[in-house]
Amino acid sequence: MARKQPAAIQNPDHGVPRWNATHVRTLVRDLDWDDLRALLLVTEQQSFRAAAESSRLSLNTLRRRIERLENRIGTKVLGRSRSGVVPTDIGLMLARAARDMEGAALSAEGDSDGEANVLIAPGELTIGCTEGLGSLWLTPRLNELLPALANLTVSLQLDYDSSRDRSDVVDVGVAFSEPQRRDLVRAKLATVHYMLFASEAYIREHGAMTSLDQFRDHHFIEQSGPGYNAGLIKFLVGSDPPEGFMPIRSNSALSVYWAVVNGAGIAALPTYARAVSKHLIPLAVPLPLRFDLWYYFHAEARRSPAVRATIDWLKAAFDPALYPWFADQFVHPEDFENNRTGKVVRLFEGLLDPRR
């Protein structure tokens, strides 16, 4: 005997639950907002490809979110017709409920009491990310977020441990691995690509490294700490590096960056380092490293105007249409100037002497 489903109405013609509106409104609050947003995008565009282009998400990301949504509720939410991709009856009900929820979140803007109930610290919006991203990329953009947060204090909390779960102490987090807690809304934000860089001054003194075989002949600046693969260098230079090979090691990305632009050695840096400082030169050495970047926030705060404004700010800060170095596809730093880019704050330029 089939188990009775109290919130759904069984369709005897097809054996598929035909849900009522009350059930859907209850269910939608427990679903991942990014999965629901994918459903809204595809439903509105009637095409996965058009939805991907309008949202700047990849086709695979959209399909994965729709599949995750269908697995979560146990039935299909999309089908096909002559006009394109169309929602099923259940998909249409979910899309309507998600749109109502989105509208309610927007209409709640300015409700300071509501914010106090969902933020980690009342009157404060806490953002957590790694020290490198926070110092080099997000800090110069904090002023752009302030007008959207009314009287809230923005608390940017940086972490030197890239593997630590900080979801209990931040309202919005940015991480290099997908959070696994079921009570978090999360989505891929960008892709961060890495290359080896040296300064103009270092190359004039030591020459430009052109192959990994030359690694032992140069000086390397290492960022170390929990979450970083310190063993990678041993694979490249062996367990007995030459004397003086590593003049500086630090758990701070800012310290590593400063050491490299001042000519102390070579380091693996995100490709946007070239956009931040014109004195950094990418080396023609095949060392393709890439990491997915994720944002997350607590599901109970999905209606918070401050949290949604922060997510919108993050998406703008990592928008690959404006900043090509955050696209899934690798873009060489030499090609940055051939792409339309957004506002980039150059760091330390007035403090450097390129003639060194």
Side-chain angles (χ1 to χ4, degrees), residues 51-245:
E53 292 175 355
S54 67
S55 64
R56 300 192 183 97
L57 296 171
S58 70
L59 282 170
N60 287 339
T61 295
L62 283 174
R63 291 192 175 109
R64 185 172 64 250
R65 291 179 182 175
I66 295 297
E67 182 180 358
R68 187 167 60 188
L69 178 61
E70 292 177 335
N71 289 338
R72 174 72 175 80
I73 67 174
T75 189
K76 294 290 185 182
V77 297
L78 293 175
R80 289 192 174 274
S81 71
R82 292 182 180 180
S83 60
V85 179
V86 295
T88 63
D89 290 344
I90 293 173
L92 185 59
M93 295 176 73
L94 283 173
R96 287 172 177 168
R99 194 174 291 110
D100 290 343
M101 183 179 70
E102 184 178 36
L106 294 174
S107 66
E109 190 167 359
D111 183 0
S112 58
D113 290 337
E115 290 286 16
N117 292 330
V118 297
L119 299 181
I120 297 295
E124 188 167 297
L125 189 287
T126 304
I127 303 170
C129 66
T130 61
E131 178 262 348
L133 283 173
S135 298
L136 298 174
W137 192 252
L138 290 183
T139 293
R141 291 165 174 77
L142 279 177
N143 283 348
E144 300 170 5
L145 175 61
L146 298 182
L149 298 189
N151 297 320
L152 292 176
T153 298
V154 178
S155 176
L156 180 61
Q157 298 297 312
L158 308 183
D159 201 330
Y160 293 87
D161 182 350
S162 64
S163 63
R164 187 160 72 100
D165 178 8
R166 305 187 65 202
S167 56
D168 283 334
V169 294
V170 301
D171 298 301
V172 176
V174 179
F176 279 102
S177 59
E178 181 179 6
Q180 299 301 311
R181 284 179 46 170
R182 295 179 60 86
D183 60 336
L184 295 177
V185 177
R186 69 271 189 188
K188 182 179 173 182
L189 180 62
T191 300
V192 182
H193 303 268
Y194 280 73
M195 290 184 67
L196 290 174
F197 283 87
S199 70
E200 297 167 326
Y202 179 90
I203 292 174
R204 280 196 298 270
E205 182 175 352
H206 301 280
M209 187 172 73
T210 57
S211 73
L212 292 178
D213 292 336
Q214 301 171 357
F215 218 137
R216 292 173 61 91
D217 301 326
H218 287 269
H219 303 304
F220 185 76
I221 311 299
E222 183 182 53
Q223 183 172 359
S224 62
Y228 296 95
N229 187 359
L232 178 62
I233 297 303
K234 291 184 179 180
F235 286 106
L236 296 175
V237 299
S239 57
D240 58 338
E243 184 176 351
F245 170 75

Side-chain angles (χ1 to χ4, degrees), residues 219-223 246-249 255-256 259-260 264-268:
H219 303 304
F220 185 76
I221 311 299
E222 183 182 53
Q223 183 172 359
M246 189 177 294
I248 297 175
R249 175 189 287 125
S255 295
V256 171
V260 176
I266 292 168

